[in-house]
Amino acid sequence: MTTRRILVVEDEAAIRQMITFNLSRAGFDVTEAEDSSSARNLIADQRPDLVLVDWMLPDSSGLELTRALRRDSVNKDLPIIMLTARADEQDKISGLDSGADDYITKPFSPRELLARISALLRRSVPVDDEPIVAGDLQLNPLSHRVTCQNNEIVLGPTEYRLLKFLMTNPERVYSRGQLLDFVWGQNVYVEERTVDVHVRRLRQALEPYGAETCVQTVRGAGYRFSVA
Ligand code: CA
């Protein structure tokens, strides 16, 4: 099984370090953020498998961060556990209403935290492992194989990630800037023209199977994946 990545969003250094220490020891790959805005960047860049969000953060609250992630089509199913010092029932309800999957009240033991994380990872669908099928195209995230009518299509790593993103989010137009954020990562500085280069390469790879028509140019807007 691949190492699961967890993002810890907590501004209090002592708590953050305690969590990181325990999760790393349990075999997770842990990254840390001190506020909501750096959390958003890290989520876009690193695609964590689960996020621990503290309720009280210095910029916007953990509730607002959770709501914002849920509104985002890419992160709407991202497993989120909210951490809070507030034990009120009403707070718990607000936390879960914001879209958090679970809720832990401080102080908590490392064992309790690990148990909640394992439970959530088990019940969250491992979307990353399921083959994605669209028309004759099939993409297997475990083997990184792409096939069309059972013929294997060989793609470069960027074309693969681009196709995976598009197949995961069909029938939606993405601008070049959005594709750069989602496929290349928000902190990578490349020109928007780069997107066109990789779209062209992807279409060339799909063309022998007649599947290049799935990657559609939407004039003045960007690109869309569609088998229609
Ligand atoms: Ca805090």
Side-chain angles (χ1 to χ4, degrees):
M1 191 168 133
T2 52
T3 306
R4 299 294 197 139
R5 177 174 286 167
I6 297 181
L7 172 64
V8 181
V9 192
E10 163 66 271
D11 56 316
E12 283 161 80
I15 298 176
R16 198 174 62 239
Q17 285 157 11
M18 182 276 283
I19 295 173
T20 299
F21 172 79
N22 284 289
L23 296 186
S24 303
R25 207 171 54 169
F28 292 105
D29 179 1
V30 189
T31 39
E32 301 178 12
E34 294 178 28
D35 54 40
S36 297
S37 59
S38 49
R40 294 296 301 263
N41 285 336
L42 283 168
I43 290 165
D45 286 343
Q46 304 193 340
R47 293 298 152 80
D49 297 295
L50 185 146
V51 184
L52 296 175
V53 181
D54 185 39
W55 183 300
M56 300 294 279
L57 293 169
D59 47 358
S60 63
S61 75
L63 279 184
E64 287 165 45
L65 173 63
T66 303
R67 284 197 196 101
L69 290 170
R70 289 295 180 247
R71 279 195 299 267
D72 178 353
S73 67
V74 177
N75 293 310
K76 67 181 190 327
D77 299 320
L78 177 64
I80 299 174
I81 296 177
M82 186 154 292
L83 309 176
T84 179
R86 305 153 63 142
D88 295 356
E89 189 63 17
Q90 188 51 46
D91 288 342
K92 178 172 180 173
I93 292 167
S94 312
L96 297 176
D97 272 355
S98 72
D101 298 283
D102 202 355
Y103 181 98
I104 301 182
T105 306
K106 295 175 187 173
F108 49 81
S109 68
R111 178 190 274 188
E112 182 186 5
L113 180 63
L114 284 168
R116 299 289 191 92
I117 288 173
S118 303
L120 181 52
L121 285 175
R122 257 199 316 275
R123 69 175 191 262
S124 64
V125 186
V127 273
D128 243 32
D129 297 351
E130 300 279 313
I132 308 166
V133 181
D136 292 332
L137 272 178
Q138 181 160 349
L139 183 148
N140 187 325
L142 286 177
S143 62
H144 278 221
R145 281 181 200 276
V146 177
T147 56
C148 189
Q149 297 151 8
N150 296 321
N151 299 295
E152 185 161 355
I153 300 174
V154 180
L155 296 176
T158 305
E159 285 73 53
Y160 172 81
R161 279 186 292 132
L162 178 62
L163 181 64
K164 185 180 171 196
F165 176 78
L166 290 170
M167 286 179 75
T168 311
N169 301 281
E171 298 299 338
R172 264 197 69 170
V173 180
Y174 290 94
S175 68
R176 290 167 176 80
Q178 287 174 318
L179 289 173
L180 283 177
D181 284 351
F182 290 131
V183 179
W184 277 260
Q186 268 176 2
N187 296 325
V188 181
Y189 298 97
V190 287
E191 291 175 45
E192 295 200 344
R193 204 179 54 83
T194 306
V195 175
D196 301 331
V197 172
H198 289 280
V199 165
R200 197 177 316 132
R201 285 189 200 155
L202 175 58
R203 283 181 176 149
Q204 278 165 2
L206 298 176
E207 202 169 0
Y209 311 99
E212 80 284 2
T213 52
C214 296
V215 184
Q216 303 172 350
T217 302
V218 182
R219 202 173 283 271
Y223 294 105
R224 171 183 59 210
F225 183 88
S226 175
V227 290

